[in-house]
Amino acid sequence: MLGTRLDQLATAIREIAPGATTRCYVDAGPVPERELAQLAGLGWIGKNMMLIHPELGSFTFIGVVLTDAALAPDLPFEADRCGTCRRCLDACPTNAFVAPHELDARACISYLTIEHRGEFTPEQQQQVGDWVFGCDVCQDVCPWNVSFAQPTADPDLAPRTDVAAPALRALLESDADSFVRRYGGTPFTRPGHAGMRRNAAAVLAGTGA
């Protein structure tokens, strides 16, 4: 869905700059989205390494359109408005932040449940806790989100119950075909069938469910 909207933006760029080339990215390819967003003036990179928009917080998507069109750039966002706050660092369930702006991915629940390949070690299984996919604790406690983040009214971004709260036992017992039928086109395809079954097994084992 975001890719479609970026394509529309890219089309508009080519219409106002005939002959320009464009290429769109949404969380894919070797593109440093957060750094580019900061350089584009959209916000600063917080101590939890998330881009924080001063009026929206960090619960946002970042899409990128690369182009050679001669567009007037905005000024970078230079201020760091985290100040002395360290709520994100202190709230991390696994103490994954070595220091402000420094994350040890080996302890990050989002990394373990989404990007990590292969089975969990006993330590990793314990770290996952009851998170079957990702972790937002460092964003949940951020004052900028507490003050400004609002649920979207965009129907295309409305949460799906089976994704927001998947049935873990059914997920564990699913086969590859049923997984694709139910979760194709959702973020669960990133870890894939094997990864989500692994996550479900870890949560069920850890919670005794």
Side-chain angles (χ1 to χ4, degrees):
M1 186 275 296
L2 290 176
T4 299
R5 298 188 183 189
L6 284 179
D7 287 337
Q8 294 171 346
L9 176 58
T11 298
I13 291 173
R14 293 194 300 272
E15 288 175 349
I16 63 175
T21 58
T22 58
R23 186 165 182 177
C24 303
Y25 286 96
V26 183
D27 195 25
V31 179
E33 293 97 340
R34 286 170 295 184
E35 288 78 4
L36 291 176
Q38 183 270 325
L39 290 173
L42 296 180
W44 73 99
I45 299 176
K47 293 177 182 177
N48 62 355
M49 302 176 67
M50 303 300 295
L51 181 87
I52 304 176
H53 188 286
E55 297 176 1
L56 301 174
S58 65
F59 284 119
T60 59
F61 294 110
I62 303 176
V64 177
V65 179
L66 301 178
T67 182
D68 58 2
L71 303 176
D74 291 320
L75 294 175
F77 198 102
E78 300 288 1
D80 182 340
R81 298 186 181 177
C82 289
T84 60
C85 178
R86 52 177 293 121
R87 293 184 192 179
C88 59
L89 309 182
D90 295 337
C92 178
T94 59
N95 297 312
F97 291 103
V98 178
H101 305 103
E102 187 174 346
L103 174 71
D104 182 354
R106 296 170 298 178
C108 176
I109 295 172
S110 286
Y111 172 80
L112 289 173
T113 57
I114 300 173
E115 303 297 343
H116 178 72
R117 297 296 178 258
E119 296 302 315
F120 292 142
T121 65
E123 180 184 7
Q124 290 170 334
Q125 178 174 310
Q126 185 178 18
Q127 289 172 326
V128 166
D130 59 358
W131 293 89
V132 71
F133 183 88
C135 173
D136 285 323
V137 170
C138 67
Q139 298 192 82
D140 288 333
V141 301
C142 176
W144 293 92
N145 286 328
V146 172
S147 298
F148 299 114
Q150 297 291 329
T152 180
D154 189 330
D156 288 337
L157 297 176
R160 281 175 42 179
T161 302
D162 59 335
V163 175
L168 298 186
R169 185 64 61 181
L171 184 57
L172 179 63
E173 296 172 355
S174 67
D175 58 32
D177 290 338
S178 63
F179 176 84
V180 171
R181 285 194 300 271
R182 187 163 190 174
Y183 297 115
T186 76
F188 286 177
T189 60
R190 183 82 170 198
H193 176 239
M196 289 304 298
R197 289 184 71 247
R198 173 204 61 198
N199 296 349
V203 172
L204 289 169
T207 58

